[in-house]
């Protein structure tokens, strides 16, 4: 089994190397921990991959998967701040959606990674500046696969909740202008809309924003 150090040096920016790193992080194999990856320069390598291959949906998905697993720990989150991974992630998600068809895996892991990064106020601010609030609604409904993907939709709602908790008016207005209400209505009409997990997190989002999907403007 390759160590984390060998893996990230041998395959620093390739899709399968990043996927392998994410799997090691998930399984905690070979002593692979967020702290060890951060100490070994993994955060910088993941960010570099996003910056260099931002139009490659498969690689963006793998990099976002790594970020979602790494950024939960303070040390890795701080390393990501230094190399501005949060801005790189949003930029990559925008480019991946603009250059070709939608990529559900990139969107799913991208929303997951954004929700984890947004727990840090500095990351959140940088993602807002990069246009995260404008891109989230489209990531929820830009293809049928996305609309029907439960994990994508649940992560999407978690992501929205992280962004609106501290500034429901400002963030809510930006999301509203970006078409979030129309997106959520579309999701609710599908099979995901009846799932208890989605309904629970959606109710939390609606309560935080004081929105009602039944109303034309979604505002009470």
């Amino acid at each position: 089994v390759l160590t984390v150090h060998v893996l990230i040096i041998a395959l620093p920016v390739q899709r399968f190397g990043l996927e392998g790193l994410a799997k090691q992080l998930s399984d905690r194999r070979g002593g692979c921990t967020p702290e060890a990856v951060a100490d070994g320069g993994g955060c910088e390598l993941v960010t570099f991959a996003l910056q260099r291959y931002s139009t490659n949906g498969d690689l963006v998905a793998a990099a976002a998967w790594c970020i979602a697993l790494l950024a939960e720990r303070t040390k890795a989150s701080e390393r990501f701040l230094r190399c501005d991974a949060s801005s790189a992630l949003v930029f990559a998600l925008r480019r991946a959606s603009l250059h070709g068809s939608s990529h559900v895996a990139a969107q799913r892991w991208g929303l997951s990674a954004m929700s984890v990064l947004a727990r840090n106020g500095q990351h959140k601010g940088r993602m807002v500046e990069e246009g995260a609030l404008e891109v989230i609604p489209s990531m929820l409904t830009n293809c049928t696969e996305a609309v029907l993907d439960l994990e994508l939709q649940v992560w999407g709602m978690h992501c929205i909740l992280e962004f609106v908790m501290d500034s429901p008016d400002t963030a809510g207005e930006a999301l509203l202008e970006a078409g979030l209400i129309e997106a959520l209505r579309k999701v609710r009409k599908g099979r995901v809309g009846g799932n208890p997990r989605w309904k629970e997190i959606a109710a939390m989002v609606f309560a935080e924003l004081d929105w009602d999907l039944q109303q034309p403007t979604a505002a009470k």
Side-chain angles (χ1 to χ4, degrees):
V1 179
L2 292 175
T3 64
V4 176
H5 180 72
V6 172
L7 177 63
I8 62 178
I9 295 301
L11 299 170
V13 294
Q14 296 181 27
R15 169 194 171 188
F16 294 113
L18 292 172
E19 288 180 353
L21 174 58
K23 289 175 182 177
Q24 283 199 328
L25 284 165
S26 297
D27 299 339
R28 296 298 179 95
R29 290 185 284 113
C32 186
T33 65
E35 291 81 6
V37 173
D39 288 339
C43 298
E44 290 78 5
L45 290 171
V46 171
T47 305
F48 174 77
L50 278 174
Q51 293 169 335
R52 185 169 183 178
Y53 300 102
S54 58
T55 60
N56 186 308
D58 290 327
L59 191 137
V60 171
W65 185 8
C66 289
I67 292 174
L69 295 170
L70 289 168
E72 291 184 341
R73 299 303 178 90
T74 302
K75 177 181 284 189
S77 181
E78 291 175 349
R79 295 295 287 266
F80 278 132
L81 269 175
R82 295 177 195 170
C83 53
D84 204 12
S86 43
S87 296
L89 175 63
V90 177
F91 180 75
L93 291 170
R94 278 183 172 279
R95 292 199 68 185
S97 65
L98 290 173
H99 292 74
S101 60
S102 57
H103 194 291
V104 173
Q107 292 169 200
R108 182 192 310 119
W109 284 113
L111 288 165
S112 174
M114 283 198 292
S115 69
V116 175
L117 288 170
R119 297 170 190 169
N120 177 291
Q122 289 180 273
H123 278 305
K124 185 186 296 186
R126 293 180 185 182
M127 288 190 288
V128 169
E129 290 177 2
E130 191 62 45
L133 298 178
E134 288 75 26
V135 77
I136 289 172
S138 65
M139 291 172 65
L140 298 178
T141 58
N142 60 6
C143 69
T144 301
E145 284 183 271
V147 174
L148 300 178
D149 190 307
L150 175 61
E151 295 304 317
L152 184 154
Q153 296 299 334
V154 170
W155 276 118
M157 298 307 286
H158 278 290
C159 187
I160 293 167
L161 190 60
E162 289 291 343
F163 277 102
V164 304
M165 280 195 297
D166 296 329
S167 55
D169 294 334
T170 303
E173 183 177 352
L175 289 165
L176 186 64
E177 292 179 356
L180 180 62
I181 291 304
E182 292 77 8
L184 295 182
R185 285 174 176 158
K186 187 173 183 178
V187 173
R188 191 179 64 169
K189 291 178 181 178
R191 67 186 182 202
V192 169
N195 185 280
R197 288 176 60 201
W198 186 84
K199 291 171 71 174
E200 180 180 6
I201 186 67
M204 294 172 65
V205 171
F206 301 152
E208 191 72 32
L209 291 169
D210 195 25
W211 283 2
D212 183 350
L213 285 182
Q214 302 297 332
Q215 299 299 324
T217 61
K220 290 182 181 179

